[in-house]
Amino acid sequence: MTKTTKTPSVLFVCSKNGGKSQLAAGLMNQLADGAVTVHSAGTKPGRSLNPQAVESLAELGIDITGEHPKPVTGEVLNTVDVVIVLGTEAKVEPHEGTRLEVWDTDEPSTRGIEGMERIRLVRDDIKARVQKLHAELTGGLGHARPGGIPDTGRGGCTARRPRCAVQHPDHRVGRALLRHGCQEPARVTYCTD
């Protein structure tokens, strides 16, 4: 008998679906690399993405330019395992059997920090939370090897690509792989150039 494993799924929600929820979705998509189904939506969707949110993800090699604000729908709420509400503006009713969390994210503007400096701090706060959520959803096993076999990281990450797919600030051995959940990042190489 073949055992099938359901791919965990998450919905990130904020009010406009132009900033924080898009940041979280972009970060989770990069980290999970298909191991988690990711959705984002807004309770009152805006007309466009926050350009600074788009730019801050681009700094990490994450391209969300094809995304757009979307409304929260009952269909998505009924299919996801986890709903994460970012900030305190958006309100979502919990659905039976679905885990609901509210992330009261850092808001640097309350300290007089604006612009790209602000969005980078918000992004980094969300990134740390996404990393923890990813570990919970994937059982801390990191990403899957080809064939669906989880990489435990015990012998180092086996993910290799001909060239680094991401232009990230830590373009070195190890640190870039933390997004894959590798347990021994100092012993692994992701970028080959």
Side-chain angles (χ1 to χ4, degrees):
M1 179 175 188
T2 304
K3 182 179 177 181
T4 59
T5 305
K6 179 183 177 283
T7 302
S9 57
V10 62
L11 168 64
F12 293 104
V13 178
C14 67
S15 60
K16 295 180 183 177
N17 189 225
K20 292 178 181 180
S21 57
Q22 292 285 352
L23 287 169
L27 290 161
M28 180 62 85
N29 273 320
Q30 180 192 47
L31 182 64
D33 197 24
V36 176
T37 302
V38 181
H39 305 272
S40 73
T43 54
K44 298 175 187 171
R47 295 178 184 215
S48 62
L49 301 184
N50 176 328
Q52 291 177 337
V54 174
E55 184 179 340
S56 75
L57 287 178
E59 291 174 351
L60 301 180
I62 302 169
D63 181 8
I64 63 166
T65 55
E67 291 295 326
H68 62 279
K70 300 169 283 299
V72 175
T73 65
E75 180 182 345
V76 172
L77 284 172
N78 289 327
T79 61
V80 297
D81 301 307
V82 181
V83 175
I84 303 293
V85 179
L86 292 102
T88 56
E89 272 187 59
K91 305 293 182 214
V92 177
E93 291 295 319
H95 280 238
E96 188 174 332
T98 301
R99 175 174 148 197
L100 175 68
E101 286 185 32
V102 177
W103 289 355
D104 191 6
T105 54
D106 183 27
E107 188 43 69
S109 61
T110 61
R111 300 186 305 274
I113 301 170
E114 298 292 340
M116 283 305 295
E117 183 180 2
R118 172 197 168 268
I119 201 71
R120 286 182 188 113
L121 291 169
V122 171
R123 176 199 65 198
D124 293 346
D125 176 37
I126 292 170
K127 182 178 179 181
R129 295 168 190 254
V130 164
Q131 289 171 330
K132 182 179 179 210
L133 177 62
H134 173 263
E136 292 170 9
L137 292 175
T138 61
L141 296 177
H143 63 286
R145 292 180 177 146
I149 302 166
D151 178 4
T152 64
R154 290 191 182 96
C157 178
T158 60
R160 298 202 47 91
R161 297 185 183 170
R163 291 183 54 80
C164 181
V166 179
Q167 297 301 314
H168 45 77
D170 296 317
H171 195 75
R172 295 185 295 277
V173 172
R175 289 191 66 184
L177 281 176
L178 292 176
R179 72 176 194 272
H180 286 303
C182 298
Q183 302 299 311
E184 299 175 21
R187 297 174 52 192
V188 293
T189 305
Y190 184 67
C191 306
T192 57
D193 49 336

